[in-house]
Amino acid sequence: MTTPPWLTGSLAVASEIDRRLAAAGVKLTLGGEPTYVPDLPEGAEWTVAADGPTKLGYARALGLELQRRAWPSSTLIYCPGKRYDGEVNPRWALRLIIGADGEPIVRWPQQGISDEAAAALGPLLEADALPFLEAIGASLGCGLRPLALRDTLDPERRVWAAPLCHHDPELDPEAPPGWEAAEWPLDEPLRELLGAAGPAGLRLPLQHFPEGVLRQVLTLEVHPGGWSLFLPPLAREPLEQLLRLIAAASAGKSQPLLSGVLPLDITGHWQVLGLTADPGVLEVNLPVCANWQAYAGWMVRLEEAGATVGLRSWKDDDGHIVGTGGGNHLLWGGPDLETNPFFSRPAWLVGVLRFWQRHPSLAYLFSNPSVGPASQAPRPDEGSASWLDLELAHQVIEDLPEGDQRVLISETLRHLHADRSGNTHRSEISIDKFWNPAWAAGCQGLIEFRAIETLPRTEWIGAIALLWSALAVHLLEPAHRPETMEPFGPRLHDALMLPSALLADLEAVLARLAADGLMLDPKTFRTIWDWQNPRLLAWEQGEARLEVRRAREAWPLLCDTPVEGGSTSRFVDSSLRRFELISSAAFRQRFAVVLNGRPLTLGERPVAVRYRQEQLYPCLHPAIAPHVPLELAVLETGAGSDAALEGYWTLASERDGFRPETPSDGSSPGEGLKAAPWRAANPGDVTVDLRLEPLPA
């Protein structure tokens, strides 16, 4: 792995963060979920669909490249993932596994040999299948009883299913401890795999499985292209034992492809890197990182490995660089549950929640264009909770006595950090993996920051993670924690989401950290701000300056809409757009702006314009036509003289910005100064809305 200058330049701050955490006795880990797309993304799998014909191939290529670069002695396993409404099959996940100390959990005889020696190894043959399973059973101390099954989708594939389970005396005191094999009596006509896609272990006819036998099956596949094994669902220790026996028995053969259901390792015995199918992207679940340096190192490896296999963290949208469209969530936690830093520091967590609430830039500046209550990551004050409930929750948690308070923290916050439908995963700061016994992965002590998207440059991704780590350390000091939240009210979506407000807020955060001895490079964040809020127009004459920047808009949520597969989906009306006009005092003294035939009233406060870019289906107010092309004119308004046209531009798409044009024959932009000005929806708002008719004179 190469060490880029941006990583080297951040090591001083990162080391200071580590020093302060160690001095406070805090072990804070960092996790991440960046997303990637091919250099030439084609098809629904790289826009809206979770899976498709090429995604698994890219995932395997990236997994093997990461294995080669970072964990050469790790084990790669294909795992079934979640199943969502409207999708036929469960999503998949590839997982690279290695011991917590970096040592392999199993040593494969095929690893560490030359490429020539590896190429000379052949797969397990059909004639060797039953002796292979017999050797596994003998090593376990129980004879396997494999059942041959047909694969109607691939008649050349040979499949054997051997029921195999392991009894833990602590969990199942009635059963004899250790390994147990079982017979699967099945009539000949029923000995067929199901007609779905995926490994044979996911296609077994389990509806005909014998009663009273645990549905745990070791499945072996042999086909002309190779061989594979589907592992039965087991606890960590028996799974490792089975893998070691399989590795030993595979000597002299090529390494088998592995698949199966892995146990959730919350004790910290494994390091796990995941590659998962997600709508439009390939998501990478980083291993738990002990500090920012480890996180940044993984991001660099991913960039280099991705470039090798044809994956990257950005798309080319007609010459415009955009993000992948997927998230880049950050997760805070601990090395294990015993040392989790948040369980016994509830006041620190409250300080984090209040600080994030008071700084909208942390929710909006690094997110994708869909922000606000209907987004995938609404702020707590945009979600289902009332203001009073949030205040009460913070007060109660802050006053908790010393000791492990994981249950009360979770039960207090989990029902408040949710979107307006009650979905606890859709929250800017999600608590659903903190301590939620209602689902298998809910008790990990994790705090997930979801209002972050994957940005085109690894340097930017690393800078955001460093900002998060610096804020965590800064807020360890009780004097730095806010005592209350800030009731922004309507200003949150009207003014505080605008580019100028986001920049001012972020600069205040960076200045606060700098005063605390945690200096982050403001240039990097200014570059991110500039990319997230691109300039649509820049005009100046002497000290008179006008700048127009794309602004974010909280798109409204539409009702459930039927989609293919018999389920429903939630859409937002993304037809609305906004931009902000930033003008100097000299500009406002001499010049005026006319937009679509009506004046815009400029002042010291920010001014923004909301307009309809396109007519979508479904959308709100389908009878309101789009307002594009927008026509914007700058006129000099000297006293005692007619307004002189100084500039004229049109905007057909915010992606292309305002382009200079010549007014059509017979038009007079200056006449617009006599018309009633565009107005806002509410008194005091800074956003005028082109959907509203001007008030009568």
Side-chain angles (χ1 to χ4, degrees):
M1 183 192 83
T2 59
T3 303
W6 64 263
L7 198 160
T8 304
S10 301
L11 289 179
V13 176
S15 297
E16 175 62 14
I17 290 171
D18 291 346
R19 187 194 67 78
R20 295 191 192 185
L21 287 171
V26 172
K27 295 181 179 180
L28 178 67
T29 61
L30 192 62
E33 298 177 354
T35 53
Y36 296 86
V37 295
D39 296 344
L40 296 173
E42 296 179 349
E45 62 182 324
W46 301 113
T47 53
V48 295
D51 202 2
T54 67
K55 191 170 288 187
L56 180 57
Y58 274 110
R60 284 198 182 278
L62 182 59
L64 291 172
E65 185 64 21
L66 289 171
Q67 187 179 45
R68 184 184 71 81
R69 291 171 176 266
W71 289 350
S73 57
S74 61
T75 297
L76 181 65
I77 300 182
Y78 172 106
C79 304
K82 296 180 182 177
R83 184 186 178 278
Y84 292 82
D85 289 342
E87 297 179 3
V88 176
N89 294 320
R91 297 179 186 174
W92 47 260
L94 296 182
R95 307 211 184 277
L96 274 175
I97 308 170
I98 200 168
D101 55 0
E103 292 297 313
I105 61 171
V106 54
R107 298 187 184 276
W108 293 93
Q110 301 86 355
Q111 293 178 345
I113 62 176
S114 67
D115 293 341
E116 293 78 8
L121 297 176
L124 186 79
L125 301 178
E126 180 180 354
D128 301 323
L130 291 178
F132 174 84
L133 292 174
E134 182 179 348
I136 296 294
S139 298
L140 294 174
C142 61
L144 300 184
R145 307 173 196 178
L147 171 72
L149 297 170
R150 294 181 297 276
D151 186 352
T152 58
L153 300 181
D154 185 358
E156 294 188 20
R157 186 178 298 265
R158 299 291 179 261
V159 178
W160 294 267
L164 176 67
C165 64
H166 184 275
H167 299 290
D168 186 335
E170 293 185 4
L171 301 177
D172 190 4
E174 301 297 325
W179 295 96
E180 180 183 7
E183 187 175 3
W184 188 353
L186 189 62
D187 293 340
E188 175 62 32
L190 301 177
R191 296 181 182 183
E192 288 185 352
L193 298 178
L194 302 180
L202 293 178
R203 302 165 55 203
L204 299 175
L206 294 178
Q207 69 272 28
H208 304 298
F209 206 68
E211 294 287 337
V213 178
L214 291 177
R215 293 190 175 188
Q216 295 175 306
V217 183
L218 175 65
T219 308
L220 170 63
E221 298 180 63
V222 173
H223 52 89
W227 65 300
S228 57
L229 286 155
F230 190 95
L231 307 169
L234 297 166
R236 180 185 61 82
E237 291 184 354
L239 178 62
E240 290 182 357
Q241 180 188 0
L242 179 59
L243 282 171
R244 287 192 292 268
L245 295 176
I246 290 172
S250 71
K253 306 295 182 183
S254 61
Q255 187 170 338
L257 292 178
L258 298 175
S259 54
V261 180
L262 290 182
L264 180 65
D265 176 42
I266 59 176
T267 57
H269 285 87
W270 291 345
Q271 295 184 71
V272 181
L273 182 143
L275 303 107
T276 62
D278 214 42
V281 295
L282 175 64
E283 179 179 293
V284 178
N285 305 118
L286 295 182
V288 174
C289 300
N291 53 22
W292 178 84
Q293 295 92 312
Y295 173 90
W298 273 110
M299 295 309 305
V300 172
R301 290 188 194 97
L302 279 168
E303 181 180 36
E304 295 174 347
T308 300
V309 302
L311 291 169
R312 62 192 184 188
S313 63
W314 53 276
K315 291 181 179 180
D316 185 341
D317 185 13
D318 274 346
H320 296 264
I321 301 302
V322 298
T324 63
N328 181 32
H329 308 159
L330 286 172
L331 298 98
W332 285 350
D336 50 56
L337 296 179
E338 286 69 29
T339 58
N340 186 284
F342 296 105
F343 291 169
S344 59
R345 295 176 179 85
W348 179 34
L349 177 56
V350 169
V352 168
L353 299 180
R354 286 175 177 160
F355 188 92
W356 253 254
Q357 188 276 332
R358 295 175 72 94
H359 291 283
S361 63
L362 301 178
Y364 300 142
L365 184 52
F366 309 119
S367 181
N368 62 38
S370 180
V371 295
S375 72
Q376 293 288 314
R379 289 160 46 99
D381 53 3
E382 295 173 325
S384 61
S386 70
W387 185 264
L388 175 60
D389 285 329
L390 289 171
E391 284 188 317
L392 287 173
H394 293 171
Q395 177 184 328
V396 168
I397 295 174
E398 191 175 36
D399 293 339
L400 288 174
E402 293 184 1
D404 188 338
Q405 301 291 352
R406 70 182 82 177
V407 175
L408 273 176
I409 292 172
S410 176
E411 290 305 304
T412 302
L413 293 176
R414 186 162 55 87
H415 302 285
L416 304 179
H417 283 235
D419 72 357
R420 293 180 180 178
S421 73
N423 188 316
T424 58
H425 191 58
R426 295 195 187 108
S427 178
E428 177 203 8
I429 304 176
S430 174
I431 311 294
D432 66 351
K433 297 175 186 173
F434 189 75
W435 200 258
N436 179 10
W439 66 296
C443 295
Q444 300 183 65
L446 295 176
I447 298 169
E448 183 175 4
F449 295 87
R450 303 188 71 251
I452 310 173
E453 71 166 329
T454 296
L455 303 181
R457 295 175 58 180
T458 302
E459 175 184 359
W460 297 355
I461 295 173
I464 295 169
L466 188 61
L467 171 62
W468 257 240
S469 296
L471 286 173
V473 166
H474 176 71
L475 295 170
L476 271 175
E477 171 56 52
H480 296 158
R481 301 170 190 163
E483 296 182 356
T484 62
M485 295 187 297
E486 177 71 24
F488 293 121
R491 287 192 305 130
L492 182 62
H493 296 157
D494 177 45
L496 300 182
M497 202 181 276
L498 298 179
S500 61
L502 294 178
L503 181 60
D505 182 57
L506 181 62
E507 288 178 338
V509 171
L510 295 175
R512 181 170 180 155
L513 290 174
D516 189 26
L518 299 168
M519 176 69 74
L520 305 184
D521 182 8
K523 294 180 182 178
T524 301
F525 293 97
R526 180 64 183 250
T527 305
I528 296 173
W529 173 83
D530 190 61
W531 180 78
Q532 289 278 47
N533 305 279
R535 191 162 52 194
L536 305 179
L537 172 65
W539 183 88
E540 64 179 299
Q541 191 178 100
E543 295 185 356
R545 294 182 300 276
L546 174 68
E547 184 176 76
V548 180
R549 285 191 176 268
R550 187 177 73 190
R552 300 195 167 225
E553 173 74 0
W555 291 327
L557 180 67
L558 303 175
C559 64
D560 286 349
T561 303
V563 294
E564 185 179 357
S567 63
T568 60
S569 184
R570 305 184 328 158
F571 290 90
V572 294
D573 182 4
S574 60
S575 67
L576 297 179
R577 299 289 195 276
R578 266 202 309 175
F579 58 80
E580 181 184 14
L581 297 95
I582 305 170
S583 60
S584 66
F587 180 92
R588 296 190 294 271
Q589 290 171 1
R590 294 178 50 202
F591 301 95
V593 174
V594 171
L595 180 69
N596 281 24
R598 295 188 181 278
L600 284 173
T601 304
L602 303 180
E604 293 184 2
R605 295 196 313 156
V607 175
V609 174
R610 178 182 294 116
Y611 64 98
R612 169 159 273 176
Q613 170 70 45
E614 54 194 337
Q615 199 122 22
L616 300 174
Y617 178 83
C619 69
L620 290 181
H621 313 300
I624 298 179
H627 299 107
V628 294
L630 299 178
E631 301 176 359
L632 187 146
V634 170
L635 301 113
E636 186 170 16
T637 55
S641 63
D642 293 334
L645 181 65
E646 295 292 335
Y648 181 84
W649 303 264
T650 63
L651 181 144
S653 167
E654 66 175 7
R655 184 176 59 184
D656 300 324
F658 282 95
R659 296 187 171 183
E661 299 282 353
T662 301
S664 58
D665 294 340
S667 67
S668 176
E671 291 296 316
L673 292 174
K674 303 175 184 179
W678 294 109
R679 69 182 179 94
N682 303 295
D685 284 358
V686 302
T687 303
V688 301
D689 196 324
L690 301 194
R691 298 174 299 173
L692 300 175
E693 291 294 327
L695 294 173

